[in-house]
Amino acid sequence: LQAELSGEADARLETIRKLLLSEQRKLRSVVDANRPVPTAIRVPLIPALRPHADDLSRQWACSVEIQGSDRADVSPLFLHQFVHIVRESVANAVRHGRAKRVVVDVGGDVDQCRVEIKDDGSGLPAGQGRFNMDDVKARRLMPLSVWDRIKDMGGHLQVDSSDRGVTLRITLPRI
């Protein structure tokens, strides 16, 4: 029995070690993102999101999938803000909606990025329905940090909630 418990503890410690290393990388990316960067530098959005999805899957013990047809590049600043929107959305889906799966579907064109973040959780406590950006803020349907990021980026948000989960539809201008 002690050998089994020791094995479980070792496995959990290894998971924690990996998460700490991941957080260290993220902290480094925040530092790097806050350095002055020429605006000519661009990164492909979907490939840049995949490592974050892997980290979120491990952290929250749920499936986080990145998919879509978006092939346009974004600035490091856009990527930084976008990653935070995804991280906070996944955390909310798991914490409050008990989601087991979150799909981030990224599309758009050269001027706009359209993303749909869909979870299989229990929906919003406020109930079922469709909510626009003003509704979200007035009714505090989600943390204001997500709302603020989207607004600060010049974007739009629509939230659909049902007993089968929540879908965030976000449109952001590319910067």
Side-chain angles (χ1 to χ4, degrees):
L1 180 63
Q2 188 172 1
E4 285 181 35
L5 291 176
S6 177
E8 289 176 23
D10 288 344
R12 184 66 182 144
L13 284 172
E14 180 61 19
T15 300
I16 291 169
R17 185 188 71 77
K18 287 179 181 176
L19 286 170
L20 285 171
L21 286 173
S22 173
E23 289 302 317
Q24 182 183 22
R25 283 193 308 267
K26 291 175 194 157
L27 183 57
R28 171 56 49 201
S29 74
V30 168
V31 170
D32 291 343
N34 286 307
R35 290 187 180 138
V37 178
T39 57
I41 294 176
R42 309 294 279 181
V43 294
L45 182 57
I46 290 178
L49 287 175
R50 286 206 165 93
H52 296 282
D54 294 341
D55 290 344
L56 289 166
S57 290
R58 281 192 299 275
Q59 180 179 358
W60 293 105
C62 75
S63 170
V64 179
E65 301 170 30
I66 305 294
Q67 61 187 34
S69 59
D70 189 280
R71 299 294 176 255
D73 295 342
V74 297
S75 72
L77 176 60
F78 181 96
L79 176 63
H80 175 77
Q81 296 285 35
F82 193 84
V83 165
H84 281 290
I85 290 169
V86 171
R87 289 177 62 88
E88 293 172 46
S89 298
V90 169
N92 291 330
V94 175
R95 274 190 198 136
H96 305 295
R98 297 176 304 283
K100 300 288 183 219
R101 181 171 186 245
V102 179
V103 177
V104 181
D105 190 359
V106 184
D109 54 38
V110 78
D111 296 321
Q112 287 191 330
C113 177
R114 286 183 288 284
V115 62
E116 184 175 280
I117 302 173
K118 185 173 186 168
D119 70 60
D120 66 353
S122 59
L124 295 172
Q128 300 180 16
R130 176 167 285 171
F131 307 96
N132 66 29
M133 213 157 157
D134 293 333
D135 296 332
V136 169
K137 184 173 184 182
R139 297 175 71 177
R140 296 193 181 271
L141 298 176
M142 60 192 306
L144 290 182
S145 58
V146 173
W147 188 92
D148 285 337
R149 282 185 198 281
I150 294 167
K151 184 176 184 302
D152 290 348
M153 293 176 75
H156 299 282
L157 169 68
Q158 176 184 303
V159 179
D160 291 322
S161 177
S162 76
D163 58 359
R164 294 181 314 275
V166 173
T167 301
L168 306 178
R169 288 185 180 83
I170 303 166
T171 304
L172 299 166
R174 294 189 192 271
I175 54 170

